Amino acid sequence: MSCYRQQAQLDVPLAAVWELVGNVERHAEWWPRVIDVHCDGLEEGCSYRQVYKSPMGVIETEVSVERLDDCHELLLRCLDTGTYTRWLVTEAQGGTFIDAEFGLDPQKPGARVFDLVAGRRYFRHWLEQSIESLRRAAREGVAV
């Protein structure tokens, strides 16, 4: 099982960051690889449909909300691939501190091979892009 974790300080209020992270229907606005999200109601334990770009092409998946702590934590797991993303956010120094982890708990042989060959590198790159895109979107949202 590979994973990558990164921390970052965003000079944007927590509420602006959480509006983007905690609202899954806004993920396509900023989160690299997410194309579309359909969620009928967000709560811990629910699942929703997501379309995203993967190394295997465009895929529609079911995502489970494993942890949702308003304005603090969001843990999502793709039920089809075993990919998970965890976002912890907290107010710090007038902005928002992020502690994020992306990884894979492979369930199928193809996913295990991908994990062994490219998992950590893939998740590092995706997480770095995600934090930068989140930073940019949150700043733009505050400026409006």
Side-chain angles (χ1 to χ4, degrees):
M1 179 172 126
S2 65
C3 67
Y4 185 76
R5 185 175 174 194
Q6 184 174 341
Q7 299 174 334
Q9 175 72 24
L10 277 62
D11 296 326
V12 180
L14 176 62
V17 173
W18 186 253
E19 174 56 28
L20 294 168
V21 172
N23 183 348
V24 297
E25 294 214 342
R26 295 198 61 193
H27 286 179
E29 295 176 28
W30 64 270
W31 204 345
R33 303 189 183 129
V34 175
I35 298 169
D36 187 42
V37 173
H38 178 71
C39 180
D40 289 328
L42 188 67
E43 62 187 16
E44 193 168 305
C46 77
S47 61
Y48 62 91
R49 300 301 292 168
Q50 175 178 279
V51 178
Y52 74 99
K53 295 177 202 169
S54 82
M56 280 53 95
V58 175
I59 298 175
E60 183 173 334
T61 62
E62 186 172 357
V63 177
S64 170
V65 179
E66 293 192 352
R67 179 97 171 111
L68 177 62
D69 182 0
D70 192 32
C71 285
H72 179 66
E73 180 180 11
L74 179 65
L75 173 59
L76 305 172
R77 183 172 309 274
C78 176
L79 298 175
D80 302 311
T81 66
T83 299
Y84 70 89
T85 59
R86 180 173 185 232
W87 296 90
L88 295 171
V89 297
T90 189
E91 191 171 3
Q93 299 177 353
T96 304
F97 179 77
I98 294 175
D99 184 353
E101 180 178 314
F102 289 14
L104 176 64
D105 184 11
Q107 305 299 312
K108 299 177 183 176
R112 284 193 281 276
V113 170
F114 172 80
D115 189 41
L116 288 170
V117 172
R120 182 164 165 76
R121 184 173 55 247
Y122 175 81
F123 291 111
R124 182 189 75 226
H125 184 65
W126 185 26
L127 179 50
E128 289 170 352
Q129 285 180 322
S130 297
I131 288 175
E132 189 51 42
S133 293
L134 177 59
R135 174 181 280 122
R136 199 170 27 256
R139 281 184 184 153
E140 290 170 3
V142 169
V144 173

